[in-house]
Amino acid sequence: MMTSTARAQGVSLRYTLDPGGPPVFTSGQELLASDKPIEAVKLPPLHSKKPLYLTAKLGDGADTAFTFVLDESEPGAGYDLLYADSSHTRDLTDVKPYRLTRWRYYKGFKPVRLLIQVGGARTLYHAAIVAEERPTSTDYRLQSWAYYSGEARFGDKSYPVALVDSNGNGLFNDLSRGLERDNAGDVLLMDVNGDGKFDQEEFAGPEFRYCGRRMQVDGRYYDLEIQPDGSGFRVAPTTAKLATLHSDSSQIALMLVSKDGMLAVRGENGEAQVPVGDYRIVGWQVERRDRDGNRWVAQGSQNRLGGEPPLLSVKADASLPRLGSPLRAQLAVQPAGGREFDCQLNFTGASGEVIGQVTRNGQQMPEPHVRILNAGGKEIANLPFHYG
């Protein structure tokens, strides 16, 4: 949190509802589904013999439970109608249903108009109810369909920004606690290069920011305080003490998590300025050159195979733990039925982190192979693995 507002600048944002939704993928929240009617909710006449009842948690009021009902336009049509308790009255008797639609790679219902409580006031919120089809079932997620946009000044420069409720709970200031779907919190987008887009591909890049109380912009740190309803935020040069972090890699990019949320850090020439404190390294990218001058770039993320992400305690003249090399290959083999087996190959780094990518001079390394030998040592199979 900011302790001084003398140089803080307020940024006002406007509610934005685009036909294609937010300018970034949002994970949303998984809806609780039940085939049992929800008590104290008045229902309209339903066609389905087995309607499905969905519940979401939205806003920060005394009652955050919102009800949705999936119905069929006629028996056997499948869930192609959605009733939403848009005004939170628990009365759906006169509500007009939303019809099933498809967009891009999704299908569901959008935009669903809702009035939710945030900070003691009723706030407009648009959502999409997305149907995720599984082999044996269908899951439903609520994703934010609107966002807030505007211009924000950091130092001497102003950038177009967009604030997105990525976890779909109606609040726009949730701190990110990790890179996994359920811990990612909300995101702040910045069009730094002025191309009218928000680049999401660059690791720990300047245009896609998981929410935290601090952020690095153009090499400087700022304190950030976002309003829960998304209508604005305050930004000021950081009051935190900084320390120099040393690395044996020339270029480094880190995704760090602390009590203050996510912090993206970039450094050059083996050094990076970081606010003093304790962090977990949930993602990293490092660059090194070999004796022949080849440029190697490796990228890793928090350990999905078990265990805590590496701990980083930043203080005066701290050193970054060795990341990446030596790489270890882990082959998991499971029976798939009959004489078939499923094989999965993972590479992990020195701290057990999963290696997602290794390139040499900008080119991805060739796909690895697994050789299978019989008892006599004769090769009977040579099978390639595929990235992803």
Side-chain angles (χ1 to χ4, degrees):
M1 300 295 292
M2 292 186 293
T3 58
S4 172
T5 58
R7 294 189 294 167
Q9 297 186 38
V11 177
S12 296
L13 303 176
R14 61 184 178 275
Y15 191 74
T16 305
L17 182 62
D18 288 337
V24 64
F25 168 79
T26 62
S27 57
Q29 67 165 298
E30 185 174 353
L31 300 180
L32 179 64
S34 174
D35 56 5
K36 296 180 180 179
I38 300 174
E39 294 183 4
V41 174
K42 297 180 180 179
L43 299 175
L46 300 175
H47 301 96
S48 175
K49 295 181 179 179
K50 194 175 183 180
L52 191 64
Y53 303 89
L54 307 175
T55 302
K57 300 290 187 180
L58 294 168
D60 59 6
D63 180 10
T64 61
F66 277 71
T67 300
F68 306 88
V69 181
L70 289 172
D71 190 23
E72 299 174 300
S73 56
E74 58 183 43
Y79 295 131
D80 58 353
L81 298 177
L82 175 84
Y83 292 90
D85 185 12
S86 299
S87 300
H88 211 207
T89 61
R90 307 286 186 182
D91 188 349
L92 300 177
T93 53
D94 295 324
V95 170
K96 183 178 179 181
Y98 294 87
R99 289 193 170 272
L100 183 71
T101 185
R102 295 179 182 270
W103 66 98
R104 297 194 295 273
Y105 307 108
Y106 308 101
K107 76 171 185 177
F109 308 86
K110 55 84 177 174
V112 179
R113 186 179 185 275
L114 302 165
L115 290 175
I116 67 175
Q117 286 279 339
V118 180
R122 299 190 86 185
T123 302
L124 179 63
Y125 185 83
H126 285 84
I129 308 299
V130 178
E132 296 183 333
E133 294 181 336
R134 309 297 184 194
T136 59
S137 64
T138 301
D139 297 332
Y140 293 89
R141 299 189 73 87
L142 183 147
Q143 299 176 350
S144 176
W145 194 253
Y147 59 100
Y148 282 88
S149 63
E151 294 267 340
R153 176 174 290 277
F154 293 86
D156 298 329
K157 298 180 181 179
S158 292
Y159 301 105
V161 297
L163 181 61
V164 181
D165 173 25
S166 185
N167 57 7
N169 66 357
L171 306 175
F172 289 77
N173 66 339
D174 290 308
L175 301 180
S176 295
R177 303 297 182 186
L179 299 176
E180 313 102 322
R181 189 177 199 176
D182 295 331
N183 289 329
D186 296 323
V187 297
L188 178 64
L189 310 176
M190 299 176 59
D191 181 13
V192 175
N193 60 14
D195 66 354
K197 303 176 183 178
F198 300 109
D199 178 23
Q200 304 164 41
E201 300 301 324
E202 184 179 1
F203 182 85
E207 300 203 352
F208 182 97
R209 310 291 186 123
Y210 292 102
C211 274
R213 293 193 175 100
R214 293 190 180 94
M215 61 188 303
Q216 186 186 40
V217 181
D218 297 328
R220 298 180 180 180
Y221 281 96
Y222 297 87
D223 291 333
L224 195 67
E225 187 177 358
I226 300 174
Q227 297 180 26
D229 64 359
S231 62
F233 58 85
R234 295 181 68 80
V235 61
T238 188
T239 59
K241 182 179 180 180
L242 302 179
T244 300
L245 185 65
H246 301 279
S247 171
D248 59 0
S249 299
S250 58
Q251 305 285 331
I252 56 177
L254 303 172
M255 300 295 289
L256 306 177
V257 167
S258 72
K259 60 181 177 58
D260 293 321
M262 187 81 77
L263 179 66
V265 176
R266 301 185 71 86
E268 298 181 350
N269 302 317
E271 294 185 348
Q273 290 284 302
V274 183
V276 170
D278 293 328
Y279 304 88
R280 290 284 181 181
I281 307 175
V282 297
W284 54 262
Q285 180 175 286
V286 296
E287 175 185 322
R288 298 193 183 107
R289 291 187 179 271
D290 62 24
R291 65 184 65 181
D292 298 321
N294 294 305
R295 176 176 171 265
W296 292 81
V297 177
Q299 189 179 112
S301 61
Q302 63 193 85
N303 191 350
R304 299 191 301 269
L305 305 178
E308 288 285 345
L311 178 64
L312 175 65
S313 183
V314 176
K315 51 189 176 182
D317 294 322
S319 294
L320 184 67
R322 187 169 182 82
L323 301 171
S325 60
L327 302 186
R328 298 180 178 89
Q330 297 183 354
L331 179 65
V333 180
Q334 293 183 338
R339 301 181 62 185
E340 295 186 356
F341 295 84
D342 288 331
C343 299
Q344 181 173 346
L345 181 64
N346 288 300
F347 288 96
T348 58
S351 300
E353 65 274 23
V354 175
I355 307 301
Q357 179 174 282
V358 178
T359 63
R360 183 179 65 178
N361 299 327
Q363 300 297 315
Q364 194 170 44
M365 298 302 296
E367 295 175 336
H369 288 239
V370 60
R371 296 174 61 223
I372 301 176
L373 310 179
N374 64 15
K378 180 181 179 181
E379 182 180 293
I380 58 175
N382 191 318
L383 307 175
F385 284 91
H386 303 289
Y387 288 111

